Amino acid sequence: MKINRYLFKNKDYSFEDDIDFSNQKTDPNHIRKISNTHVKVSGFDYDDYLLLNITVDSDVIGVCSYSLEDVPLHLHFSTELAFTYDEEDEDNYVIKEAIFDLDPYIFDLIISEVPYTLVKKGAKLPSSGNGYRVMSEDEYNKENENKKDSRWSILDDVEL
């Protein structure tokens, strides 16, 4: 979605649009798919800064941390983004031209809203499986107290 910052000189200017992120690549261990994204944008252009108020409604397919199954999420959030032409400004996004694409910023906002640890309703941690077992830290420490490291056992026979 390309926007023209000069349209925001009018304080009442706002618009809504749908964005298609279905073909956007994401981390498959965090988000599998983003669909049905609706964005409302309003704001105001000050001489040096463009301040945008953005409201996002999006349907996202996340990944369950326990079972790696799909977890559908509906995100609804509002945020404020500030843009500037000043390349030395580290606090705001820098834009080069008056007409720019807002999609990457909205995509980043959606990614940041999805929690990294999602648990599907009714999902439980596995207790063990083929080639592994789950134990507490105390159980692990108790088990390793009695083990000797075989890599160093040769040094036990060395006399100094």
Side-chain angles (χ1 to χ4, degrees), residues 33-64:
K33 185 177 179 182
I34 301 172
S35 59
N36 300 332
T37 302
H38 184 76
V39 179
K40 296 177 187 176
V41 180
S42 63
F44 189 71
D45 185 7
Y46 302 98
D47 290 332
D48 295 335
Y49 296 98
L50 171 64
L51 187 61
L52 297 179
N53 297 309
I54 300 174
T55 302
V56 178
D57 280 307
S58 184
D59 293 320
V60 177
I61 303 295
V63 180
C64 178

Side-chain angles (χ1 to χ4, degrees), residues 68-113:
L68 301 179
E69 295 175 328
D70 290 352
V71 179
L73 292 172
H74 178 74
L75 301 176
H76 176 77
F77 61 92
S78 296
T79 191
E80 204 172 75
L81 294 179
F83 297 90
T84 183
Y85 287 125
D86 185 6
E87 293 186 15
E88 294 178 12
D89 189 344
E90 296 176 1
D91 297 328
N92 301 305
Y93 294 106
V94 176
I95 54 175
K96 305 277 187 208
E97 298 179 15
I99 298 174
F100 65 98
D101 192 10
L102 196 58
D103 289 358
Y105 303 101
I106 294 172
F107 180 74
D108 288 345
L109 290 171
I110 291 171
I111 296 293
S112 67
E113 284 292 318

